[in-house]
Structure formats: structure tokens, C-alpha cells
Amino acid sequence: MGARTLTPRQKAWSSKLRHGELPWQQRIPGLRNAAQGPVLSRAVDSRVIVAQNLAAVTGALTAQGIEFVQLPQLSDFRPRLVVRQSDVPNVAAALGQLDDAEGWTITITRDGGKLKDSRWAATHPAQVQQMRARRRLCAPNEREMTTVFEDVFIEPWEELGEGIERVDGDFHIPGTLHRRISRRGTYVEYLTPDNWHRAVEDGGALRWSHPHLYQFTEPVDIVYTWVDGDDPAWQERKLVAEGVLDPAEVNETATITSRFTSRDELRYSLRSVEQFANWVNHIYIVTDRQVPEWLDVDHPKVTVIDHRDIFTDPEALPVFNSHAIESQLHHIPGLSEHYVYLNDDIFFMRPTEPTLFFTGNGQSKFFPSTAPLDIDAPSARDLPVLSAAKQNRAFMLNAFGRVVTNKFKHTPHSQLRSVLSEMEAKHEQEFQDVAASRFRHPDDLSITSALYHFYAYAAGRAQPGGIRYAYMDIAREDADLYLQRLARRTDLDVLCLNDTNTTETDEEYLTRILGRFLNSRFPIPSHFEKGVEKRTADFAERKRIIS
């Protein structure tokens, strides 16, 4: 007789048991799976944490009279300091002064990759490859909020003597400091004595005189589309529009309730932006006469945009079709040339740079999926995203004489406003038709989330990029178990939690487990929320009383 198959909920319980996450396990000190470090009292910005960590490390080195040079790099994250190999014992002692109670841990990597403590480094300086200073910061719910991106690395470089040849000709100047171990992303391999002393006198930073060719330096906005399907006034507008709709013309998912359900995803997506994408210039939230009740509309970085502000033809309103709304986003007043469009069910999961979405020369990046389109013509049998993809294929064939075969990943979408304006000028009728489509229809183009990428690539204004992402349909049978797995992952740039077709019977259950995941993963209110300082203080006070 075979083993009994566990139900999805039994598997979820078993997973929590295995990882020490059940409530009774969390009450046992030896089993608690919680980060150790100071508790944050306000929203966190990973770039600020990097700057604070770097200041603490360089301050410790300076206090011991140790010279260092910070290497230039494309990213703000994982800063690297160079020290003389002969200074390793003093460096290890200086780093040892960083307070464990403040969340600091120091790791030493020796030749061969094994980790040793600072006492070993002091007696074997020539074998030390690098030292890493990491500071753990926690949320009030004990979740660790920092990542490896905020760590500070220190590399001991060898001081060269006479007669050492350079790989590119001639001989090194005696006293030159040379990198011992090659590393990906290296922009400086050695420092002559003059370059070293100039950098030390300049505060310990080796600076480029201008931005690197590969760095992206233009402002980048973020655009959200958001709807509250529980709003009675909005529901009334939708019912009126549905009354004149021929159900046979559209896929049944075009009007389902779950497509318009809000579970406060936007609140948590904005928290993820503040923590992991705070390079954003401005945030626009596009709505249909609605404003999230928790949103601080006076925040200088946020603007709520009504559909009436961007639709070329106001007679097309109201619309309940994301394809229609997306086709008008480039009309937002004041929108930057470079912007990233995302739905409110997408979350940044670790620190990111604008170069994830744009190249140094200003092109947008897109993220093609390996999933191919079927070769049938679009019809109401297709899910709207599929029929739109097939319409995009026909458009590219007619406009460029090129075949496209694949979909795109469920990620943020990089956009160039000028390209969309050009598309609309050359294909005005297609834009008008999509904008006038009140519900998703088999004739729709998906302009922003797909067609734009094909068009921009064909015009030489975009190129494929790479992104670490995960996609989850929250209606999947093992939703709770899958959310637990996602909560433990640290290798994702972004996550999409999509609601494709939730049944009414599962609504309460999915709202509960999704809320639990989002509260655990993004527990600290952002500055985009009303009363953030008071709410954060209340949260900490409740935790103090409970404990």
C-alpha cells in the first residue's frame, strides 16, 4: 500500500514545521528562525543602509590609522575597499570593534574559500583574500530587512617590489598595490603609489571624473495602474458598461471580479519600491476616480492621475480594460522620457539599479519569455493576454515584415515615452481602437506590456535584458506552500503575484494567506502611507507589550 498523499494545506503545515515557522516553534528560543540585529523604527532604503555601513567601516579603519581606498564601480551596492596586505592584522582588529549588538558580523575568506575568524587572519595575512562586514537590521516582526547588497568588502592588495612585469607591457613601479585575485566587474587592477596617495588624501575614494559609459544617469519614473473593485460607484459604472456588452465577443475572464480585486497589493509594492528601488524620480498612480485611502497624496514623490487626465478621447470612458488604460499612459503630464510601468501585484524583492531596466545609452530593456505563442488566429476562446499577443504578432508582420513568436515575462515594463508617442502618431487608429475597448477584447493590442518592446527593438531603441523573477498565480492549489517558499527566497529582483481567476469560495482564504505573506515580507510602512511614523511606533509598542 502506497504512502498517503498529503493535501496542499498539509504540505504547507509540514513545510512550516521543517523550517521552524509554526507559532509554538517560534516560542522556543532554540527553534526560533529570526534574524538578530537592531530593530528598525522607520522605513528602510537599502542605499541609505549601504552609506551607513560604509561610514561605520571606514570610521573603524580611520580610528586605527589604517589607509584605505574605495574602488569605483557601476553599482552603489557591495562597496569595496582596498587595504595593504601588510595591514590585515590591524584591519581585522579594527573590524572586530564593530559591535555585535548592532548586528555586525565579520567573515574572513582565505585562499581556498574557507572562512576563518579575525584571530586567524591576524596570523596569516598573506592568505586572506577578502574580509566582509555585514550588518543585520530587523523589522519589528523580526524579519531581517538587510541583504548581501549592503555588505562592505575589504580586499588586501599585495605591495609589489622591483622588476614585476605588467601584463600590458613594461614593469610595475615599486610600491604599486596589485589585486591578488581576479574578480568579475573589476575596473582597477592595480594602484601606483601616486594614485594611492591621491585617493587617500581625497577621503579614501578613487573617483571617476565622469559617469561610466554603462551607467544610466537620466531620471526614471514609475507608473502604476490601480483599481478598487469594491468601490460602489465604480461597480455601478462597470454594471452599466456590462449591460451593453455581448458576452459572446469576449473571453469570460474579461469581466470577472477577481481581475479588479484589491488586496492592498499597491501598499506593499510601494514599500518594496522605497526599500529596493528608491532611485525612482517620481511615482504616478493611474486610477478611475479613486484614491487609496491609506495613500499620502501630499507626498512630493507621488501623483494620482485620473483616466480623464490622459485619455485622448474622453468619450471612451469609463473603461475596465487594462489594454485600453495602458495605451494612454504616455500622456501623463510631466512624465519622464524613461519610465517603468508595473501593475500593483509586482514587488521588488532585493536592491535594484536603473540599469536593470535601461542601458547606459538610454535604450529600454525587455524580458522575453521562453513560452511560445500558438499559431492559431486570435479568438474569444483565448485568454485576453494571448489574443492580444497574437494581434501584436500581426501588427509586427504588417509594420515591419518580421515574425515574433514569444510572450514576455510578468515583470515591470521599461518604456521610452518618445517611442510610444511615435507609435501613436504612426498608428493613430490602432491606439484609438484599443482606448475605446471598454473590456478586454480579442481585437485588442497589448501596447505597453508587449507591442512596445517589439516595436522599440525593431526601431533600434530597445534590447533584451535579464532579470531574476518569479511568477505566481495566487489561485494555484498549493498557494500557501508556494508563498512560504517565496518568502524564503533571496535571489529574486521582482515577484509577480497575479490573480487570474479566483473563485468566491477561495476569496477569504487567499486574502488571508496573501496578506500574511505581504505583511511578513514588507512589514515596515513606507513614507508613501499616511501617518507612517505613528503607525510604526504603535507597531513597536504593541510588540514590546506582547513580549
Side-chain angles (χ1 to χ4, degrees), residues 237 284-291 303-311 317 325 328-329 331-333:
R237 294 194 294 274
Y284 296 94
I285 301 172
V286 178
T287 75
D288 178 12
R289 290 175 262 181
Q290 299 175 323
V291 177
T303 301
V304 177
I305 298 291
D306 192 84
H307 293 175
R308 294 167 292 186
D309 299 328
I310 60 174
F311 268 71
L317 298 173
I325 300 164
Q328 307 293 295
L329 297 180
H331 298 157
I332 293 174

Side-chain angles (χ1 to χ4, degrees), residues 74 187 210-220 337-338 353-365 414 416 460-465:
L74 294 182
Y187 298 102
H210 294 79
H212 194 284
L213 179 66
Y214 296 152
Q215 286 180 309
F216 184 77
T217 59
E218 298 301 313
V220 179
E337 163 68 358
H338 299 85
E353 303 274 9
T355 47
L356 181 63
F357 302 106
F358 298 98
T359 65
N361 62 356
Q363 294 186 6
S364 60
K365 295 181 181 180
S414 319
L416 298 182
R461 304 287 302 280
Q463 61 179 261

Side-chain angles (χ1 to χ4, degrees), residues 187-199:
Y187 298 102
V188 179
E189 284 289 347
Y190 59 86
L191 289 167
T192 63
D194 285 347
N195 286 331
W196 173 266
H197 291 305
R198 276 197 296 269

Side-chain angles (χ1 to χ4, degrees), residues 346-398:
I346 290 180
F347 310 88
F348 291 90
M349 298 294 283
R350 65 181 181 182
T352 61
E353 303 274 9
T355 47
L356 181 63
F357 302 106
F358 298 98
T359 65
N361 62 356
Q363 294 186 6
S364 60
K365 295 181 181 180
F366 57 91
F367 310 110
S369 167
T370 57
L373 299 173
D374 69 57
I375 60 176
D376 292 335
S379 73
R381 291 190 308 108
D382 295 325
L383 289 174
V385 65
L386 178 57
S387 58
K390 294 178 179 180
Q391 294 291 356
N392 296 340
R393 177 173 61 192
F395 178 100
M396 292 301 296
L397 191 60
N398 292 332

Side-chain angles (χ1 to χ4, degrees), residues 90-162:
N90 294 330
V91 173
L95 295 179
Q97 297 301 307
L98 296 173
D99 194 348
D100 292 349
E102 288 297 311
W104 287 101
T105 57
I106 309 300
T107 55
I108 313 292
T109 307
R110 72 167 194 173
D111 293 337
K114 295 182 179 179
L115 300 178
K116 296 287 183 179
D117 61 24
S118 57
R119 290 169 297 179
W120 178 90
T123 56
H124 301 78
Q127 296 185 42
V128 174
Q129 289 186 358
Q130 74 175 13
M131 291 168 272
R132 184 183 72 178
R134 184 177 191 192
R135 188 184 183 210
R136 290 179 170 85
L137 298 175
C138 304
N141 68 351
E142 298 184 332
R143 182 178 185 89
E144 183 175 349
M145 299 301 290
T146 42
T147 69
V148 295
F149 287 80
E150 296 91 6
D151 295 353
V152 180
F153 293 84
I154 301 99
E155 291 187 14
W157 283 17
E158 180 183 8
E159 194 166 352
L160 302 180
E162 298 275 359

